[in-house]
Amino acid sequence: MADVVSEIINHGKPPPLTDEEREQRRIDAEIHLWECHRRDEERQAAYQREQAIKAEAARREAAIAAEQEKTGYGANGTNTTNAKPASENCATFVRW
């Protein structure tokens, strides 16, 4: 009679796990958490490298802009101090 009752109660349910199966699931869960943690650390390190590269590029650009401001030369190497219109920089020759 107990077998019939047990079969009715457990109909469609998997059998209970053995001690070995529970231990394996616990180990698998630990491995999964460790892998997630490692992946998060790798992503964080990659993000920090990216931010450091961007910060260095911004620092270099600021230094270049400051140097150009100090020397009076623009990005394309043209003199920006006391700059005259292009028409005044070239000699104009008129033939009569």
Side-chain angles (χ1 to χ4, degrees):
M1 179 78 164
D3 290 337
V4 173
V5 172
S6 177
E7 193 173 320
I8 292 170
I9 291 173
N10 292 323
H11 181 68
K13 294 181 183 176
L17 299 174
T18 64
D19 290 342
E20 292 82 18
E21 291 170 327
R22 280 195 296 276
E23 181 64 17
Q24 186 59 49
R25 285 190 180 194
R26 187 191 64 75
I27 291 169
D28 291 344
E30 283 185 29
I31 290 170
H32 175 72
L33 289 174
W34 180 82
E35 288 172 345
C36 289
H37 182 69
R38 184 181 50 82
R39 184 178 57 242
D40 290 344
E41 287 178 343
E42 288 173 357
R43 287 179 181 165
Q44 179 67 22
Y47 175 78
Q48 289 174 346
R49 282 190 301 271
E50 238 177 71
Q51 293 303 308
I53 289 169
K54 288 179 182 179
E56 177 61 22
R59 187 197 63 74
R60 279 191 311 246
E61 288 177 15
I64 290 169
E67 183 64 26
Q68 289 172 349
E69 184 69 28
K70 181 175 139 186
T71 61
Y73 285 91
N76 59 0
T78 58
N79 187 342
T80 60
T81 57
N82 300 324
K84 296 180 181 179
S87 61
E88 293 182 25
N89 287 337
C90 300
T92 306
F93 297 100
V94 179
R95 290 185 67 148
W96 298 100

